[in-house]
Amino acid sequence: MVTRSLGSAGYDPNEKTFDKILVANRGEIACRVIKTCKKMGIKTVAIHSDVDASSVHVKMADEAVCVGPAPTSKSYLNMDAIMEAIKKTRAQAVHPGYGFLSENKEFARCLAAEDVTFIGPDTHAIQAMGDKIESKLLAKKAKVNTIPGFDGVVKDADEAVRIAREIGYPVMIKASAGGGGKGMRIAWDDEETRDGFRFSSQEAASSFGDDRLLIEKFIDNPRHIEIQVLGDKHGNALWLNERECSIQRRNQKVVEEAPSIFLDTETRRAMGEQAVALARAVKYSSAGTVEFLVDSKKNFYFLEMNTRLQVEHPVTECITGLDLVQEMIRVAKGYPLRHKQADIPINGWAVECRVYAEDPYKSFGLPSIGRLSQYQEPLHLPGVRVDSGIQPGSEISIYYDPMISKLISYGSDRTEALKRMEDALDNYVIRGVTHNIALLREVIINSRFVKGDISTKFLSDVYPDGFKGHKLTNSERNQLLAIASSLFVAFQLRAQHFQGPSRVPIVKPNMTSWELSIKLHDEVHTVVASNSGSTFSVEVDGSKLNVTSTWNLTLPLLSVNVDGTQRTIQCLSREAGGNMSIQFLGTVVAEGQEICVIEAMKMQNSMTAGKTGKVKSVRCKAGDTVGEGDLLVELE
């Protein structure tokens, strides 16, 4: 965790807030809230479903109450069970985190009726900002820039077409009560408007129990930039700079950063002042976020306001030094804000990657479930923070969001923050589930991203045919071949050390040079590796590379130096037959299973598979003499 990002604002032990807070959430955000409560000397109560009984947030809390079975409707959304847990534990306040009941005005009302403090805004603000139609009208009244569109509820498909024609195509059809990309459709003509109205209303009804829709102008190729606001119960309100959240898939954020490389001082101030004007218009008292769409000419338009803590709040904490959870708790207790607008800095740069248990090769991320057989966060690196709620052995289940963690890097500038994120992704060990680290790493090193040339269509523009993993340059390919060769021989040397005298070693004793044949994709490479202590000298396609490491093959991470370039690789698996899976530059290299070893001129030559498949037949046996072109092994 970045030490300056939490606690630099200070925790005053004499400033009394609450004795006990119930955290009405799970996973990383529950852990995040509990950490700040501990620093403030506040006791905590965790709620959990039956399948979450052994989860990290439950272990961190002082008390824990089971509120129902796994489905969220019967546990984390079960207001009756949560209210009973509050009474049972005598919690004085509730922090809802994000999602679940965090923007549920009925829950806030229930708490108020029991004289329990809701750590968030009052019900008026939740209701006003939770309805996209009402919030847009309020924004207009507060002189906040809004997207041109129809301000009422659209009755039917015919009216939708009439409104769309008046606004001008393309238009966005969206659920009034929605969020998270549900009930949203883009229409470019009348037919798409009719279809969009039908599908969006159905999605809205099933997701939110509210099929009301609105229509507005669709801003093509926009940036998604949001302003963090903070208000108290005394009429004070601040804007805490912006977050750039344009890297999205299916209208859900993937990579966020603060500040935005795109905004100038004047635009930042204008957006901040409008966000505060909206917060004041609804007497907002807590942390909240005003989201904007920004076009290529820096025109910005109000999108919505989230009346809760955002997933991506850590990047704001990094550049301002504030602990937003602490500020929310103080405001809920009735304290005035401790800061003036002039006190809010932009100090350095922060980047957040949302690490999911997802397969990025399928629609940029379809959920993956399973148990974490191995898990190691890269907290040994400078400027790295990990907000997570899991540990080795944790289960990523079908019941909840597949987020593993939020990985945050902080640096003095954007270049340093991105380099630290690259290192952090390489050093993140996650085994047992498919994850999206390959995609995250590709995004942050992409030339367009590095230049700041991004929009909400970034992923579809950069990967029109879907994500395919890292495309190796010639030098990277040679590095991979040299590392793989060195690893293979290092494993063989270690195996030789452990073999008894009765077993026949794969590699002859005292060999100093190995000639290997490696097939990578559709190309066969002849590699010659020689060993001197901890360094392997490897000849690859006419180039000579020196590969140095500790070669501690028992560790999940291996730091390797290739001719002065430092690489962190992960040897994910190695089977007895020689099958080796390596994570290199974020991408898993599955090809390269050794299928037989040929001795020629007293050299051991490894034949490897060029693609994944099953061995259909073996046309040779140990000791056979084979000639060039002979069929040895068939794959299917």
Side-chain angles (χ1 to χ4, degrees):
M1 183 177 285
V2 181
T3 53
R4 68 172 300 281
S5 69
L6 287 183
S8 57
Y11 300 92
D12 183 355
N14 297 314
E15 186 178 80
K16 299 301 179 186
T17 54
F18 304 99
D19 296 324
K20 187 185 291 186
I21 291 175
L22 182 140
V23 183
N25 218 298
R26 67 178 299 279
E28 66 85 13
I29 190 59
C31 294
R32 164 71 191 86
V33 173
I34 291 169
K35 283 178 184 176
T36 288
C37 288
K38 284 181 182 293
K39 290 175 180 175
M40 295 177 72
I42 302 168
K43 298 285 187 184
T44 55
V45 180
I47 62 168
H48 63 90
S49 65
D50 53 7
V51 298
D52 272 348
S54 300
S55 61
V56 176
H57 79 281
V58 171
K59 294 175 181 176
M60 284 181 66
D62 297 291
E63 299 174 61
V65 180
C66 182
V67 289
T72 55
S73 61
K74 297 179 180 179
S75 52
Y76 296 103
L77 291 174
N78 185 344
M79 278 195 271
D80 290 341
I82 295 170
M83 292 304 298
E84 189 60 37
I86 293 166
K87 291 176 186 175
K88 179 182 175 182
T89 60
R90 297 181 181 176
Q92 299 165 321
V94 171
H95 197 299
Y98 55 73
F100 293 146
L101 297 172
S102 62
E103 293 176 284
N104 188 302
K105 58 183 182 292
E106 294 304 322
F107 183 56
R109 284 197 186 109
C110 287
L111 293 174
E114 296 295 329
D115 200 26
V116 176
T117 303
F118 179 72
I119 302 175
D122 63 27
T123 52
H124 164 70
I126 295 174
Q127 180 168 339
M129 292 297 101
D131 186 296
K132 287 187 173 65
I133 295 171
E134 187 179 350
S135 65
K136 191 172 179 182
L137 291 172
L138 281 164
K140 275 188 174 180
K141 192 175 178 181
K143 295 184 169 51
V144 177
N145 301 346
T146 57
I147 299 171
F150 178 69
D151 294 330
V153 177
V154 184
K155 295 174 187 173
D156 53 34
D158 289 337
E159 185 178 42
V161 169
R162 179 181 61 77
I163 293 166
R165 287 175 178 173
E166 288 176 3
I167 296 171
Y169 288 110
V171 297
M172 171 74 85
I173 302 166
K174 59 201 296 190
S176 174
K182 302 284 196 312
M184 293 175 67
R185 290 288 189 284
I186 299 163
W188 295 80
D189 55 37
D190 292 355
E191 185 179 353
E192 288 186 2
T193 299
R194 291 182 185 279
D195 288 343
F197 180 88
R198 179 161 59 94
F199 291 128
S200 290
S201 59
Q202 289 170 356
E203 282 183 10
S206 62
S207 297
F208 315 113
D210 185 344
D211 65 356
R212 294 175 304 144
L213 301 177
L214 64 120
I215 297 179
E216 60 191 22
K217 180 74 176 173
F218 175 62
I219 311 298
D220 203 12
N221 289 320
R223 288 173 177 262
H224 185 134
I225 300 177
E226 59 193 27
I227 301 289
Q228 176 73 58
V229 295
L230 184 63
D232 64 21
K233 299 178 188 295
H234 305 276
N236 302 307
L238 304 171
W239 49 275
L240 310 181
N241 303 311
E242 79 281 3
R243 294 186 289 259
E244 172 74 73
C245 307
S246 298
I247 307 300
Q248 304 180 3
R249 50 102 173 90
R250 299 189 297 279
N251 295 308
Q252 292 180 326
K253 300 162 189 171
V254 179
V255 177
E256 302 104 348
E257 59 183 309
S260 168
I261 195 172
F262 185 63
L263 294 192
D264 53 46
T265 304
E266 184 181 338
T267 308
R268 176 178 294 115
R269 183 184 300 111
M271 292 176 72
E273 288 174 352
Q274 287 196 18
V276 163
L278 181 59
R280 286 202 168 108
V282 292
K283 296 183 170 61
Y284 197 85
S285 58
S286 192
T289 299
V290 181
E291 302 195 348
F292 293 94
L293 289 181
V294 186
D295 69 17
S296 59
K297 297 178 182 177
K298 294 189 173 71
N299 297 308
F300 58 89
Y301 306 96
F302 170 72
L303 185 62
E304 63 183 356
M305 183 175 188
N306 290 303
T307 56
R308 54 172 168 79
L309 194 63
Q310 291 278 94
V311 176
E312 56 273 20
H313 77 273
V315 292
T316 297
E317 294 184 326
C318 286
I319 67 165
T320 62
L322 297 179
D323 178 339
L324 291 181
V325 174
Q326 180 192 16
E327 299 302 326
M328 292 177 78
I329 293 171
R330 291 187 72 260
V331 165
K333 186 62 178 175
Y335 288 108
L337 298 181
R338 298 177 292 176
H339 308 282
K340 304 295 183 188
Q341 190 62 58
D343 300 332
I344 305 301
I346 297 181
N347 187 353
W349 210 284
V351 179
E352 174 178 295
C353 284
R354 298 192 187 189
V355 181
Y356 283 101
E358 289 181 340
D359 185 348
Y361 299 93
K362 296 175 182 175
S363 301
F364 300 112
L366 293 183
S368 167
I369 60 172
R371 188 178 297 277
L372 289 162
S373 57
Q374 201 169 4
Y375 182 73
Q376 185 177 306
E377 296 173 349
L379 294 172
H380 60 288
L381 300 177
V384 172
R385 164 178 167 176
V386 183
D387 281 18
S388 68
I390 57 170
Q391 59 192 357
S394 290
E395 187 87 22
I396 306 295
S397 75
I398 60 172
Y399 297 108
Y400 311 116
D401 185 271
M403 181 186 284
I404 293 173
S405 74
K406 299 179 317 199
L407 178 64
I408 303 104
S409 65
Y410 172 80
S412 57
D413 54 26
R414 190 169 187 260
T415 301
E416 184 176 49
L418 288 176
K419 180 65 179 77
R420 286 178 168 177
M421 178 59 75
E422 188 180 338
D423 292 341
L425 290 166
D426 283 343
N427 281 270
Y428 206 153
V429 178
I430 304 170
R431 311 280 169 82
V433 294
T434 304
H435 54 74
N436 67 334
I437 280 179
L439 174 63
L440 297 171
R441 195 183 191 283
E442 284 305 293
V443 168
I444 65 160
I445 66 169
N446 181 274
S447 59
R448 272 186 56 179
F449 180 85
V450 171
K451 286 188 292 186
D453 177 18
I454 59 177
S455 75
T456 55
K457 294 172 66 176
F458 177 86
L459 289 178
S460 57
D461 286 349
V462 173
Y463 309 106
D465 301 318
F467 179 65
K468 307 294 184 186
H470 184 74
K471 188 175 181 181
L472 295 169
T473 64
N474 286 338
S475 63
E476 289 170 347
R477 180 204 61 195
N478 287 349
Q479 285 181 14
L480 173 59
L481 292 170
I483 292 169
S485 304
S486 302
L487 260 180
F488 174 78
V489 176
F491 270 117
Q492 299 298 341
L493 290 172
R494 189 180 73 159
Q496 173 187 301
H497 176 74
F498 287 109
Q499 282 168 337
S502 62
R503 297 181 63 183
V504 179
I506 296 174
V507 178
K508 290 183 180 294
N510 305 318
M511 284 183 61
T512 58
S513 181
W514 297 264
E515 183 177 329
L516 305 171
S517 179
I518 303 177
K519 191 170 185 181
L520 179 64
H521 304 307
D522 294 324
E523 297 178 341
V524 177
H525 305 268
T526 299
V527 176
V528 178
S530 56
N531 172 237
S532 176
S534 63
T535 299
F536 286 89
S537 181
V538 185
E539 291 183 32
V540 182
D541 293 347
S543 299
K544 197 166 188 176
L545 294 90
N546 291 310
V547 185
T548 305
S549 179
T550 59
W551 303 110
N552 187 338
L553 305 178
T554 62
L555 298 177
L557 294 169
L558 194 62
S559 181
V560 180
N561 188 295
V562 188
D563 283 346
T565 299
Q566 204 68 31
R567 300 289 190 195
T568 299
I569 65 160
Q570 298 188 33
C571 187
L572 303 181
S573 64
R574 182 182 182 276
E575 297 171 1
N579 182 19
M580 200 155 42
S581 181
I582 300 170
Q583 184 173 305
F584 177 69
L585 302 178
T587 295
V588 177
V589 184
E591 287 80 14
Q593 179 173 356
E594 178 193 11
I595 50 178
C596 61
V597 178
I598 304 171
E599 181 177 324
M601 302 300 292
K602 298 184 180 180
M603 297 292 182
Q604 305 294 315
N605 296 274
S606 174
M607 286 187 61
T608 57
K611 62 181 180 181
T612 303
K614 293 182 179 179
V615 175
K616 183 178 180 182
S617 64
V618 179
R619 301 295 184 89
C620 59
K621 62 180 185 294
D624 279 1
T625 300
V626 296
E628 184 178 352
D630 286 359
L631 178 62
L632 305 179
V633 178
E634 277 188 283
L635 296 179
E636 62 178 9

